[in-house]
């Protein structure tokens, strides 16, 4: 099977105020995410320190680094699963200090998890409907009384859920129990559940983990498709360098909780510090 | 959509089963074909079905362990008794008075449900079990201190914390009557509960719980149970939905308590002790966590059983244990379910795949 490797069109990355770079097309809009001097300690361990990052409105950004570098911790800081010890996070220009995980989601960040976290006893459809929770507006009393608003809202939500499932061609698994899906399908479902919350920034933690090369190739296309359809920013953590170098416009490299390099795929691949700390170790 | 239909079918079968059982038992009861011991159990069984269904909302659907469900039944029972007894003159029509008493019982339990639930359910971790355990004990002791009477001046309520006071300290008028006499409990209750009222309460509890489960709020409650972190990440307010399940469950237990209390001439608070909470929990666990019709079957079978087993005298506990195991297998065990499915093939199973 000699498939031609798809080439994804990337934006030219341009300097934004000072040290950061964002895609040229996002230059006139407030960046979706601006972290400055973000950090957290676990006991004596500086898991993340002085983390600065700016992501454009429609950028696909990559966060890479060896195992234990602090990548997942960054996601947990952004979504307030952990409260940062230091630093600020601006989401669409708004400070997220003091917000809870749920409020962060309402502000526009949705995520997936490195260790899949589905509602595994519920069906695929129900998982997405939970994602659509905030989009539906009827209350508990309306559902107990089965008022017309209940049926209307449920019908619309189920239609929307089917549309989302069609992104990955998963319509016929709608009634399967989520926990019984194959691994790759569970990862895709997690992405759809996150998308259902109507985010402006989608965080993907190792979305290609456990996928075979053809599934990964399909995933790459779909991530770009999702960005283009929903006009959102995507930030992903991934060990598959084909995926990262293939679709990520800005890439940030983390090692021992510190940012050791930032730049485009070309810049990162030729950065000696990165090669030594990260790519070098693997060979 | 298929799943919705399947769920709707199961719900429909549950409503139908309950209604048919009620009609049969009601005809037998009014025709005088039931032994007095069975007839006397009809109302309590309805109360305990409501208790099991409501506890299943907390333990099965919301995934929190509550060990004090009988405490809410107690609050509802004594609240309902006070309401019914003091309204005896004002509302002579018994069914209306019973309805008011049930609503009052439910409201009392809702208030206590908030008092217990708000501080506990905001915490992460399994604190609910220990707090509800303590609550069940405390509420019993509090009611044992309660002196309540009624006369033309209205309700007289006194807390006999020192243990030195008696019902005479309420200084009721000649025509007044004592409602709750401390550790002696509620006395001189006019029995106004009825089997049809029990049936209506069961149906109401079923409509509330089943319709809630198959809705946005119910899905949120189950999502939080399945994965709290993921639920937060999609924007769910954890405390709100845990509290919703808990307080709603308390309300139903309070309503069941009021119906239960007004089924007897007198009632002591120790009737709703830890053992009663555990008994209801046993019904829920054996009927299957999250399985509403399972709770109903388990309650009916296990509530009737000790009575029905009288004739086995010495072997009574042995047979009871065997039936417990059988109920558990029938409602909870996937392999047995698969076996039953092969023996009795159903169309429902075929199109679910
Ligand atoms: N809750 C926690 N408590 C203590 N240490 C933690 C916690 N979460 C992560 N760490 C530590 O922080 C470091 C970074 O972890 P992580 O962000 O998961 O790395 P990765 O880059 O592989 O995703 C690791 O050394 C990990 O052990
Ligand atoms: Mg990680």
């Amino acid at each position: 099977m000699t498939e031609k490797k798809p080439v994804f069109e990337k934006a030219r990355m341009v300097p934004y105020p000072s040290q950061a770079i964002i895609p040229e097309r996002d230059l006139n809009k407030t960046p979706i995410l601006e972290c400055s001097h973000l950090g957290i300690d676990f006991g004596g361990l500086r898991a993340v320190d002085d983390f600065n990052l700016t992501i454009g409105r429609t950028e696909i950004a990559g966060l890479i680094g060896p195992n234990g570098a602090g990548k997942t911790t960054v996601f947990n800081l952004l979504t307030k699963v952990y409260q940062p010890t230091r630093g600020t996070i601006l989401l669409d220009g708004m400070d997220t200090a003091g917000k809870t995980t749920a409020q962060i989601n309402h502000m526009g960040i949705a995520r997936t998890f490195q260790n899949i976290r589905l509602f595994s006893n519920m069906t695929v459809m129900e998982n997405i409907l939970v994602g659509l929770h905030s989009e539906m507006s009827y209350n508990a009393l309306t559902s107990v009384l089965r008022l017309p608003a209940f049926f209307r809202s449920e019908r619309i939500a189920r239609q929307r859920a089917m549309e989302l499932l069609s992104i990955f061609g998963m319509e016929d698994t709608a009634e399967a129990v989520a926990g019984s899906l194959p691994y790759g399908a569970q990862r895709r479902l997690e992405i759809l559940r996150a998308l259902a919350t109507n985010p402006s920034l989608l965080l993907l933690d190792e979305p290609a983990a456990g996928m075979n090369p053809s599934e990964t190739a399909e995933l790459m296309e779909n991530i770009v498709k999702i960005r283009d359809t929903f006009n959102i920013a995507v930030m992903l953590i991934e060990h598959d360098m084909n995926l990262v170098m293939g679709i990520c416009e800005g890439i940030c490299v983390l090692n021992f909780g510190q940012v050791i390099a930032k730049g485009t795929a070309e810049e990162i691949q030729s950065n000696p510090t990165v090669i030594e700390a990260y790519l070098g170790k693997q060979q | 959509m298929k799943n919705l239909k399947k769920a709707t079918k199961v719900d429909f079968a549950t409503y139908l089963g309950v209604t048919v059982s009620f009609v049969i038992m009601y005809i037998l009861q009014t025709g005088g074909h039931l032994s007095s011991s069975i007839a006397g159990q009809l109302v309590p069984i309805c109360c305990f079905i409501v208790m099991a269904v409501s506890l299943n909302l907390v333990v099965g659907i919301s995934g929190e362990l509550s060990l004090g469900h009988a405490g809410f039944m107690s609050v509802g029972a004594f609240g309902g008794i006070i309401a019914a007894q003091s309204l005896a003159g004002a509302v002579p029509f018994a069914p209306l008075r019973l309805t008011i008493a049930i609503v009052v019982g439910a409201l009392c339990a809702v208030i206590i449900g908030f008092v217990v639930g708000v501080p506990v359910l905001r915490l992460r971790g399994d604190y609910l079990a220990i707090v509800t355990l303590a609550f069940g004990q405390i509420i019993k002791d509090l009611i044992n201190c309660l002196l309540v009477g009624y006369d033309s001046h209205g309700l007289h309520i006194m807390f006999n914390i020192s243990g030195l006071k008696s019902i005479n300290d309420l200084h009721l008028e000649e025509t007044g009557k004592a409602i709750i006499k401390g550790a002696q409990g509620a006395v001189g209750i006019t029995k106004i509960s009825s089997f049809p009222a029990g049936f209506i309460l069961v149906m109401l509890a079923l409509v509330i719980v089943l319709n809630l489960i198959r809705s946005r709020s119910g899905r949120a409650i189950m999502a939080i149970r399945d994965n709290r972190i993921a639920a937060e990440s999609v924007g769910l307010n954890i405390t709100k939905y845990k509290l919703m399940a808990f307080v709603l469950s308390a309300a139903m237990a309070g309503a069941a308590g009021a119906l239960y209390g007004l089924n007897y001439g007198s009632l002591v608070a120790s009737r709703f002790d830890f053992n009663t909470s555990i008994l209801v929990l046993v019904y829920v666990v054996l009927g299957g966590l999250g399985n509403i019709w399972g709770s109903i079957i388990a309650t009916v079978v296990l509530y009737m059983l000790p009575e029905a087993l009288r004739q086995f005298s010495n072997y009574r506990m042995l047979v009871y244990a065997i039936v417990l195991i059988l109920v558990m297998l029938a409602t909870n065990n996937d392999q047995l379910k698969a076996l039953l499915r092969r023996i009795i093939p159903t169309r429902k199973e075929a199109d679910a795949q």
Side-chain angles (χ1 to χ4, degrees):
Chain A
M1 202 169 74
T2 51
E3 245 178 87
K4 207 177 71 180
K5 219 169 157 189
V7 181
F8 298 96
E9 202 177 307
K10 296 186 200 168
R12 197 163 69 88
M13 298 300 281
V14 294
Y16 178 77
S18 49
Q19 293 125 355
I21 52 166
I22 63 168
E24 195 172 21
R25 63 173 182 273
D26 295 334
L27 201 51
N28 297 325
K29 297 169 221 147
T30 319
I32 194 63
L33 185 75
E34 286 172 279
C35 307
S36 45
H37 312 295
L38 197 59
I40 187 170
D41 302 342
F42 293 120
L45 176 76
R46 299 218 135 174
V48 173
D49 195 28
D50 200 25
F51 183 82
N52 300 292
L53 185 69
T54 302
I55 296 182
R57 275 250 155 224
T58 61
E59 178 175 348
I60 298 183
L63 182 59
I64 62 173
N67 276 325
K71 307 180 295 293
T72 299
T73 304
V74 168
F75 275 16
N76 286 336
L77 289 174
L78 295 180
T79 53
K80 299 298 170 100
V81 172
Y82 301 146
Q83 289 298 328
T85 315
R86 303 170 288 277
T88 53
I89 304 165
L90 297 186
L91 183 62
D92 196 10
M94 281 180 293
D95 197 346
T96 66
K99 296 281 192 261
T100 64
T101 304
Q103 287 168 332
I104 291 291
N105 177 259
H106 298 152
M107 286 178 75
I109 301 187
R111 70 174 291 188
T112 66
F113 297 86
Q114 183 176 346
N115 309 311
I116 301 174
R117 287 178 174 276
L118 287 172
F119 308 125
S120 46
N121 296 316
M122 301 168 73
T123 65
V124 169
M125 170 59 79
E126 286 169 333
N127 269 265
I128 305 226
L129 289 176
V130 174
L132 288 168
H133 185 90
S134 308
E135 309 278 302
M136 307 167 81
S137 55
Y138 69 84
N139 59 26
L141 190 65
T142 308
S143 52
V144 167
L145 298 178
R146 287 287 189 259
L147 298 179
F150 166 83
F151 294 102
R152 199 180 323 124
S153 182
E154 285 284 308
R155 197 184 57 241
I156 293 169
R158 277 166 199 272
Q159 269 167 12
R160 180 93 192 95
M162 276 306 193
E163 281 166 30
L164 285 164
L165 284 171
S166 74
I167 295 176
F168 288 134
M170 290 174 71
E171 297 98 319
D172 45 341
T173 63
E175 299 312 328
V177 174
S180 71
L181 291 181
Y183 196 76
Q186 294 198 14
R187 287 218 170 273
R188 288 188 281 269
L189 175 56
E190 242 198 343
I191 296 177
L192 297 181
R193 182 184 65 189
L195 269 180
T197 68
N198 196 17
S200 41
L201 171 61
L202 181 62
L203 306 180
L204 306 175
D205 199 343
E206 306 199 10
M211 287 191 181
N212 62 37
S214 78
E215 276 183 310
T216 306
E218 204 177 309
L219 178 69
M220 284 168 77
E221 281 178 36
N222 281 323
I223 291 173
V224 176
K225 184 170 115 191
I226 285 168
R227 190 270 312 269
D228 293 341
T229 325
F230 295 88
N231 230 348
I232 59 177
V234 179
M235 180 178 182
L236 57 91
I237 295 173
E238 190 44 66
H239 287 299
D240 186 316
M241 285 305 134
N242 271 333
L243 187 151
V244 174
M245 299 304 163
I247 62 174
C248 293
E249 294 166 309
I251 298 172
C252 175
V253 190
L254 214 54
N255 199 17
F256 297 114
Q258 306 267 352
V259 175
I260 58 168
K262 271 193 283 193
T264 63
E266 294 69 33
E267 287 162 357
I268 294 298
Q269 277 165 313
S270 58
N271 184 316
T273 328
V274 175
I275 294 170
E276 190 192 314
Y278 185 77
L279 301 170
K281 242 193 252 171
Q282 307 231 310
Q283 277 143 22
Chain B
M1 280 296 142
K2 236 189 236 168
N3 186 56
L4 185 75
K5 275 189 210 144
K6 191 183 156 202
T8 313
K9 267 190 224 166
V10 173
D11 292 0
F12 182 71
T14 308
Y15 294 131
L16 191 70
V18 169
T19 308
V20 168
S21 315
F22 165 73
V23 169
I24 293 173
M25 294 310 282
Y26 190 63
I27 291 172
L28 289 177
Q29 187 201 22
T30 46
H33 299 294
L34 292 181
S35 73
S36 67
S37 77
I38 292 191
Q41 287 189 340
L42 293 175
V43 172
I45 283 184
C46 291
C47 297
F48 276 93
I49 288 176
V50 174
M51 288 296 287
V53 167
S54 59
L55 186 63
N56 207 339
L57 180 59
V58 172
V59 181
I61 306 296
S62 173
E64 293 277 335
L65 186 55
S66 168
L67 298 176
H69 206 46
F72 294 113
M73 193 182 192
S74 185
V75 171
F78 288 95
I81 287 170
I82 293 172
Q85 293 292 89
S86 54
L87 287 174
V91 186
F93 184 54
L96 178 61
R97 199 158 79 247
L98 180 63
T99 308
I100 295 172
I102 287 175
V103 171
V104 169
L107 287 178
C108 292
V110 162
I111 293 167
I112 304 293
F114 271 111
V115 171
V116 175
V118 167
V120 180
L121 292 171
R122 278 165 48 185
L123 304 172
R124 277 166 185 253
D126 293 322
Y127 300 105
L128 193 70
I130 193 76
V131 172
T132 48
L133 177 68
F135 155 72
Q137 203 59 36
I138 291 169
I139 207 76
K140 194 178 70 186
D141 293 337
L142 284 181
I143 291 173
N144 275 337
C145 297
L146 201 58
L147 297 170
V148 181
Y150 179 77
D151 63 15
S152 63
H153 295 294
L155 270 180
H156 298 254
I157 300 176
M158 186 182 276
F159 258 111
N160 176 23
I161 303 287
S162 63
L164 300 173
K165 301 217 171 71
S166 79
I167 196 75
N168 297 330
D169 293 299
L170 289 179
H171 302 296
L172 296 177
E173 292 171 352
E174 283 288 295
T175 54
K177 59 184 179 187
I179 300 178
I180 299 176
K181 282 185 175 176
Q184 278 172 271
V187 291
I189 306 168
T190 316
K191 295 192 236 175
I192 52 176
S193 292
S194 65
F195 185 36
F199 165 70
I200 292 171
L201 196 61
V202 168
M203 289 300 273
L204 267 178
L206 284 177
V207 168
I208 291 173
V209 172
L210 292 175
N211 281 356
L212 186 77
I213 293 176
R214 324 238 187 261
S215 80
R216 168 179 183 265
S217 312
R219 288 190 297 260
I221 293 168
M222 291 186 282
I224 293 165
R225 168 199 69 190
D226 273 12
N227 201 311
R228 182 187 174 118
I229 292 181
E232 278 180 299
S233 85
V234 293
L236 298 185
N237 181 339
I238 307 288
T239 309
K240 174 181 165 185
Y241 286 104
K242 282 210 176 287
L243 204 58
M244 182 188 284
F246 186 70
V247 172
L248 199 58
S249 163
M252 288 186 270
L259 184 73
Y260 187 87
L262 292 166
N263 190 46
Y264 298 97
S266 65
L267 186 72
V268 289
S270 59
R271 188 76 196 73
F272 309 105
D273 59 1
F274 180 63
N275 290 340
T276 310
S277 292
I278 293 301
L279 195 70
V280 179
L281 189 61
V282 167
Y283 299 157
V284 171
V285 172
L286 292 185
L289 291 178
N291 179 350
I292 301 302
W293 63 261
S295 291
I296 300 175
I297 307 253
T299 306
V300 173
V301 171
L302 296 178
Y303 196 90
M304 296 296 280
L305 206 58
E307 205 49 46
L309 290 181
R310 283 257 147 105
Q311 44 180 320
F312 293 102
S313 60
N314 288 343
Y315 301 105
R316 192 168 147 185
M317 288 321 287
L318 182 68
V319 180
Y320 189 80
I322 291 171
V323 175
L324 271 183
I325 294 169
L326 288 180
V327 170
M328 183 168 65
L329 288 174
T331 51
N332 244 350
N333 184 306
D334 281 335
Q335 278 148 329
L336 193 89
K337 271 191 238 165
L339 186 74
L340 288 176
R341 231 175 272 147
R342 255 187 294 150
I343 300 169
I344 318 158
T346 57
R347 253 221 339 267
K348 206 186 298 167
E349 292 305 328
D351 70 18
Q353 293 312 307

